[in-house]
Amino acid sequence: MAVLEEPIREPLKLRNLIDGMWVESEGETLDVINPATLKKIAEVPISTAEEFDEAVQAAKAAFPDWRRTPPLARARCLFRLKELMEQNFEQLSRIQTMEHGKTIDESRGETRRGIEMVEVATGIPSLMMGNNLEDVASGIDEYLIRQPLGVFGIIGPFNFPFMVPLWFIPFALATGNCVVVKPSSEDPISQVKIAELAIEAGIPDGVYNVVHGGRTVVSAMLDHPDIEGICFVGSTPVAKNVIYPRCGQTGKRVIAQGGAKNFALVMPDADLGRSIAACMTSFYGNAGQRCLANANLVVVGEGLSDREFEAYYREVVDTFVGAAQSVTVGYGLDESVQMGPLRDQAKKRNVLNYIEKGLAEGATLRLDGRKFKVIGDYPEDCFIGPTVFEDVTPDMTIAQEEIFGPVAMMMKARSFDEALEMIHANPYGNAASIFTNSGKWAREFQYQCQCGNIGINIGIAAPMAFFPFSGMKDSFFGVLHGQGQDSIRFFTESKVVIQRWF
Ligand code: NAD
């Protein structure tokens, strides 16, 4: 099939958005490379702490007026932003494919999910309401109001360059706060495009700022006295060792979402055809670079004899491998492609190292993603094909660590309890799935499993915008989550008023 037209023809020179103006940074620049074609598509600045401070000062100055803007008027800005996103839907999606590598269908899905965050935040007049009770004592009434706090910092990861910062931005703005967004410098273009549309939608100068960069900007954000809270999504080492402790020291609210290693249980009574089909998008969608991707598939032998269990394991693995073999790999702007490249060469090297590690640990490489064919004439630097290991045991590194690539581990558990123990022995707790036709096992799983997002016959347990994006253990650091009512509470202070009239 023909490759869709690329919306970026010449490399873009990205700038920071400070106080409604696009300004050039004095910092050095990095090249943003399309991982499928290896062509340069943008230059992104690594901004300085001073530039970050300018953005915070602009946001701080804009806060009093924005806070006083009635929630309905703030919602109207978001309605306009949503409309502009709809009008630019295809262009926004193609940009994600160009800067990240994911397929155009995955990008369209990401755009849709991002827009949904804006849609839900437009309900702010209802969402932000407090509550009250008359006569808490004779003639005394008490009520709770929600008030915005000021300026929030938002730090995005590379794997969902469009959607993830939108888990926070619309809710922060709708509640009357101002934001400074630091996109991933690996694929920062989507966030520039959203901010351009936000300005066009009439969000006032200074309310919405974007500062590109790396650790310097993040450190400045964590230490800045005028930043009230931080929303971070990225790897566990950064969430756990940098963001969360520093926010504790500086007294900031924090949502810190980290990495994952998700398990999918396949029970003996599962609908195998549909379960494996769901697994394909879960294990290989976004080339495995998804915090909700399943990575470890556990075939559960509950109630089966040893012989039946062995036969069932074989059937599941063979069905999985058969489906994985047919996943097509290529440039995501080719609509026939089912899996794009990894974001860059270093990420591919990391995945290749894990494949070596799996072999050294004694797992069987059933499908070798190092031998694959890219559709079309593209350099193979960032591509890798679907990979399947079998005979994987829970003690192996490949079963324990986040690989963040298209590598599936086939595992066995004699019983449901043993499978659950495997999940609980893993430090992460982002998501887990069960495939079964039994209400009993589904209910036990939802009840007992210590993971924040549970899929029952669902491969990617992604919460909609009106539910919190949960996560437990080493996948989440904080109390309130992003999205839904949690995020309204995160972005507001609950003030209680007690009144009596003489
Ligand atoms: P990352 O931790 O490398 O980077 C995330 C952000 O932090 C980037 O903006 C980066 O510039 C900044 N950063 C990186 N190292 C830093 C440091 N030492 N100090 C300060 N700032 C630093 O993560 P990534 O590679 O961009 O994203 C992939 C990771 O994100 C995976 O682990 C994935 O599971 C996770 N993720 C989690 C969720 C979730 O909801 N839990 C969602 C998406 C991605």
Side-chain angles (χ1 to χ4, degrees), residues 389-432:
F389 271 113
E390 64 169 310
D391 306 322
V392 177
T393 52
D395 55 312
M396 292 182 184
T397 315
I398 53 169
Q400 291 175 356
E401 296 183 1
E402 181 177 47
I403 298 177
F404 226 51
V407 183
M409 273 58 63
M410 301 289 121
M411 303 170 75
K412 273 182 192 170
R414 202 66 196 78
S415 66
F416 175 83
D417 287 346
E418 189 187 324
L420 211 56
E421 272 168 32
M422 284 182 190
I423 298 179
H424 293 166
N426 190 278
Y428 295 106
N430 213 36

Side-chain angles (χ1 to χ4, degrees), residues 4 51 61 69 114 117 130 145 148 188 194 200 226 230 252 268 293 296 324-325 380 389 404 413 421 428 432 466 492:
L4 298 169
E51 289 165 337
T69 304
M117 302 295 153
I145 49 181
I194 298 171
E200 202 181 329
D226 294 319
I230 303 277
K252 297 190 196 315
N296 294 346
Q325 267 165 341
E380 292 187 356
F389 271 113
F404 226 51
E421 272 168 32
Y428 295 106
F466 28 88
T492 56

Side-chain angles (χ1 to χ4, degrees), residues 476-502:
F476 176 72
F477 303 89
V479 178
L480 293 166
H481 297 276
Q483 302 188 179
Q485 272 295 344
D486 263 29
S487 92
I488 305 299
R489 288 181 61 199
F490 180 78
F491 288 118
T492 56
E493 189 62 88
S494 317
K495 186 183 275 181
V496 174
V497 182
I498 305 165
Q499 66 171 340
R500 167 166 64 190
W501 295 95
F502 296 113

Side-chain angles (χ1 to χ4, degrees), residues 251-272:
K252 297 190 196 315
R253 294 182 172 212
V254 59
I255 291 173
Q257 299 183 211
K261 184 77 172 182
N262 304 317
F263 288 68
L265 270 49
V266 180
M267 299 299 288
D269 60 359
D271 178 330
L272 205 52

Side-chain angles (χ1 to χ4, degrees), residues 154-160 163-164 167 182-187 213-219 222 232-239 242-243 256-261 289-292 347 402 404 428 430 453 469-471 475-476:
I154 294 167
I155 305 161
F158 84 89
N159 64 327
F160 283 94
M163 175 186 71
V164 166
W167 287 349
K182 190 211 86 65
S184 168
S185 48
E186 295 176 33
D187 42 17
R215 290 177 194 193
T216 305
V217 170
V218 173
S219 295
L222 293 171
F232 170 89
V233 180
S235 60
T236 290
V238 181
V242 181
I243 307 293
Q257 299 183 211
K261 184 77 172 182
Q289 302 167 115
R290 182 191 259 146
C291 69
L292 294 174
K347 290 186 173 49
E402 181 177 47
F404 226 51
Y428 295 106
N430 213 36
N453 302 292
F469 192 108
S470 198
S475 297
F476 176 72

